[in-house]
Amino acid sequence: MDGEDTRRILDLVAAGKLTVDEAERLLRAIEAPPAPAPPAPAGPPPGGRWPFSAQQLSGLRAVGVSPEWVRAWHDLGFRDLSVDDLTGLAALGVTPEDVRRWREGPFPGLSPAEATGLAAVGVTPDFVAQMRALGVEGLDAGAVTGMKAVGVTADYVREMRALGFDRLSAGELTGLAASGVTADYAHRMAQEPAPSRRPGQSQSQRQGQGRPREQEQPAEQPEPVPGA
């Protein structure tokens, strides 16, 4: 700032157009060094090729993927996540901390893809704990995802157990719920006469069992030839 600028500011103060405080702020702003120019963006990596296409960058940005978020996954040990993996995880709100908790809890070997499946159907650690407390067998990440997807709940498991199905596996519960089997359906079926047919036996086979076997007739002997 030169003396001419200072004199103009003082003249404005003397004329009552600036207060002393305003003049001091103006002088400080003029005397402040210019802000450094922002660093130029880095060019493409060695070889001149970007690791992402324009469409991939748009997709990653749209779901909130940041370099720091990717680095957090790398720190957790997942260094080969694809763009689709990252997009799916971010779109469902799955974080590295979520996967860490799952791996420290019920699913030690949980993969990001499995974590995505759990999040997609709304599986929570509390849901898994309830299923374990009810004695459901075969509770891996995929089985739990399937159970939740078809609407298996703790109440549903209790209803099946009340009917006498005490040791249902995750796969069996999934099959029952997917087929629409309810406690009411099972109870009503139990009121009907039990089928008499044994597994693997057809009606014609059962009918054949009641028939006496025809006595086998000896084969006819050829008549002797005269003069033989």
Side-chain angles (χ1 to χ4, degrees), residues 52-70 82-91:
F52 307 105
S53 68
Q55 291 79 7
Q56 289 172 333
L57 284 172
S58 297
L60 291 169
R61 183 65 174 174
V63 294
V65 173
S66 67
E68 294 77 17
W69 193 75
V70 176
S82 68
V83 172
D84 288 341
D85 291 333
L86 292 168
T87 303
L89 289 164

Side-chain angles (χ1 to χ4, degrees), residues 25-169:
R25 287 197 297 271
L26 185 56
L27 289 169
R28 284 196 299 268
I30 295 174
E31 292 174 352
R49 298 184 60 185
W50 285 97
F52 307 105
S53 68
Q55 291 79 7
Q56 289 172 333
L57 284 172
S58 297
L60 291 169
R61 183 65 174 174
V63 294
V65 173
S66 67
E68 294 77 17
W69 193 75
V70 176
R71 192 176 305 115
W73 284 106
H74 285 194
D75 293 343
L76 192 59
F78 298 105
R79 302 180 180 276
D80 58 349
L81 293 176
S82 68
V83 172
D84 288 341
D85 291 333
L86 292 168
T87 303
L89 289 164
L92 289 169
V94 181
T95 68
E97 185 58 31
D98 293 333
V99 174
R100 183 180 292 107
R101 284 196 295 268
W102 280 117
R103 299 181 87 181
E104 292 174 351
F107 305 130
L110 188 75
S111 69
E114 290 171 328
T116 301
L118 292 171
V121 296
V123 175
T124 63
D126 182 61
F127 176 81
V128 179
Q130 287 180 337
M131 295 299 112
R132 287 189 167 183
L134 290 168
V136 179
E137 300 175 349
L139 291 174
D140 57 31
V144 171
T145 300
M147 291 172 62
K148 187 70 172 177
V150 297
V152 175
T153 63
D155 287 341
Y156 183 82
V157 178
R158 293 188 189 98
E159 290 172 356
M160 292 296 108
R161 293 186 68 179
L163 294 174
F165 300 106
D166 295 329
R167 297 182 62 83
L168 288 174
S169 68

